[in-house]
Each structure stands twice: as structure tokens, then as C-alpha cells.
Amino acid sequence: MNRQLHVISTGQQSKEEFGRIASTIHEYVDGFHLREKKWTAKELVAAIQSLSEQGVPLEKIIVNDRGDVAHSMKTGGVQLAHHSMDASLVKKAFPALQIGCSVHSLAEAMGAEKKGANRLLYGHIFSTASKPGVPPRGLRELGEIVQNVTIPVFAIGGITPGNVEEVLATGVEGIAVLSGILKANDPLEAVLEYRKKMKGEG
Ligand SMILES: Cc1nc(C(=O)O)sc1CCOP(=O)(O)O
């Protein structure tokens, strides 16, 4: 099975900086989540246009929270968080939109599937500076979620090339990474290292 690798934007990089990295690594990445809470809808649209002009396929772009922007720009989907509109409402408004839901428990995962989510993101698995102050959830519940839903599940949080093998062993569809790639000195080298480990090489 070819596992997927998603990259989550940091909320700290400029549109230009993120675009430079994304255009360099997109061939090896299945999804880019624009998780930019401070950007307006207009700024998100401009970033998506710019990514597309730099060769990043629209279907690889996932817009956090804003189903309207994702739908209007024909991106690969939306990623809904706790604070977002309910998945069932988004589904009703934009029936063709791929909806990802961020979940933090088995109950939330099953609820999101019922509401029409097309994929789930569960975390954080390991402790990570990207989620300070919240204890990591580990792999046990991740495995339970994979067993109890029929939609693809992604794992996030503290995932490195060193632990990717045990994460994939739970049966997840893929992993999502923020700092391990976007904060690496050489993001392309980092992506290739993740890919190597995901294929069980090296
Ligand atoms: C954006 C995000 N969401 C999480 C969740 O648990 O839902 S963990 C996380 C941060 C992941 O960053 P890194 O790859 O640097 O650990």
C-alpha cells in the first residue's frame, strides 16, 4: 500500500516562503494543508493561486476551516477543526467537497464519519513543540480508530522518520507532518527521508 504524506503549514511562514518550499517538494507530497488562521479568505485565495502557478496541483491543496474557499478554488478539500462549521453543514453546502476532520478520540472519529467526513486526522501522537502543553495521545487509540471507521485515517504530531514505521503499523492511510519538513534545514532532503522510511527502506 502506498501511504500518503501530507504537509501542514506552520502559520508562521510567509506565503512566499511556503510557496518556495511547496514548489520544491510537491512531487513527493500528497497533500498540503493551508492551516493559516490569520489569513483572510482573500489571502488564502491569493496563496492558492500562487501555489498553483508554481506547479502545485490544486487537488493537493487542502484548506483548513474554510469550505467556501476550498470549494470556490476547486482544491482537494477542506480540513475541519473543533472550531469549524459542522461537517454535515459543510457537506450540505458543498456536496462534492472532500472533507477532512481533525479528531482527538475514538468517539469524535466515529461521530465525524457519521457526519460525512471523507478522512480523519488524529493526534497528536507523540509530544511535539508544535502542540505545547497537551500530553501526547500515543498509538493505541489511533489503532482503535483505524479498526472502527471505514474512511482513511491520518496520524499527526511528532512524527519523524525514526518513528514513522510504528505509526504506519497501525494501518493508517498516511501521516501529516509540520516541523519535520517545514522547519528542516533542507525540506526536500527531509521529505525524501520520510518517503524512504515510509517505503520501509533505510
Ligand atoms: C497541526 C497539528 N494538529 C495536531 C492534532 O493533534 O490535531 S498536532 C499538530 C502539529 C503537528 O506538528 P509536528 O509535525 O511539528 O509535530
Side-chain angles (χ1 to χ4, degrees), residues 132-153:
V134 190
R137 295 188 165 81
L139 291 167
R140 191 188 50 80
E141 196 173 36
L142 175 64
E144 283 173 17
I145 292 172
V146 171
Q147 297 301 318
N148 283 281
V149 299
T150 58
I151 52 178
V153 180

Side-chain angles (χ1 to χ4, degrees), residues 43-195:
E43 286 170 321
L44 281 168
V45 166
I48 294 163
Q49 275 166 343
S50 157
L51 285 169
S52 172
E53 283 161 18
Q54 290 177 88
V56 179
L58 280 173
E59 62 268 23
K60 288 193 179 183
I61 300 173
I62 294 162
V63 186
N64 270 51
D65 192 41
R66 299 296 303 256
D68 54 347
V69 175
H71 167 78
S72 305
M73 296 302 292
K74 300 187 166 50
T75 69
V78 65
Q79 182 69 29
L80 301 176
H82 252 295
H83 55 80
S84 300
M85 270 171 66
D86 202 79
S88 52
L89 272 178
V90 177
K91 194 92 203 163
K92 209 164 153 189
F94 311 115
L97 190 62
Q98 288 289 303
I99 298 179
C101 284
S102 294
V103 297
H104 301 98
S105 68
L106 175 60
E108 277 182 24
M110 293 172 73
E113 181 178 36
K114 261 202 202 118
K115 286 177 180 172
N118 300 102
R119 68 190 144 67
L120 301 174
L121 183 59
Y122 172 84
H124 54 296
I125 307 297
F126 304 110
S127 70
T128 167
S130 306
K131 275 269 163 164
V134 190
R137 295 188 165 81
L139 291 167
R140 191 188 50 80
E141 196 173 36
L142 175 64
E144 283 173 17
I145 292 172
V146 171
Q147 297 301 318
N148 283 281
V149 299
T150 58
I151 52 178
V153 180
F154 286 71
I156 188 169
I159 300 176
T160 65
N163 60 32
V164 77
E165 199 180 335
E166 54 180 320
V167 176
L168 295 184
T170 60
V172 287
E173 175 84 8
I175 58 167
V177 176
L178 189 158
S179 54
I181 292 171
L182 293 180
K183 295 191 178 173
N185 288 333
D186 184 339
L188 178 58
E189 190 182 36
V191 165
L192 294 176
E193 189 61 21
Y194 276 94
R195 277 293 181 203

Side-chain angles (χ1 to χ4, degrees), residues 10-63:
T10 61
Q12 294 161 358
Q13 289 171 322
S14 66
K15 172 159 81 67
E16 290 72 24
E17 197 179 353
F18 180 71
R20 260 195 307 277
I21 298 176
S23 66
T24 312
I25 63 176
H26 70 83
E27 217 180 303
Y28 307 100
V29 171
D30 302 292
F32 289 96
H33 295 229
L34 285 180
R35 183 174 178 267
E36 298 294 335
K37 298 179 183 178
K38 292 185 189 148
W39 292 2
T40 62
K42 197 168 185 163
E43 286 170 321
L44 281 168
V45 166
I48 294 163
Q49 275 166 343
S50 157
L51 285 169
S52 172
E53 283 161 18
Q54 290 177 88
V56 179
L58 280 173
E59 62 268 23
K60 288 193 179 183
I61 300 173
I62 294 162
V63 186

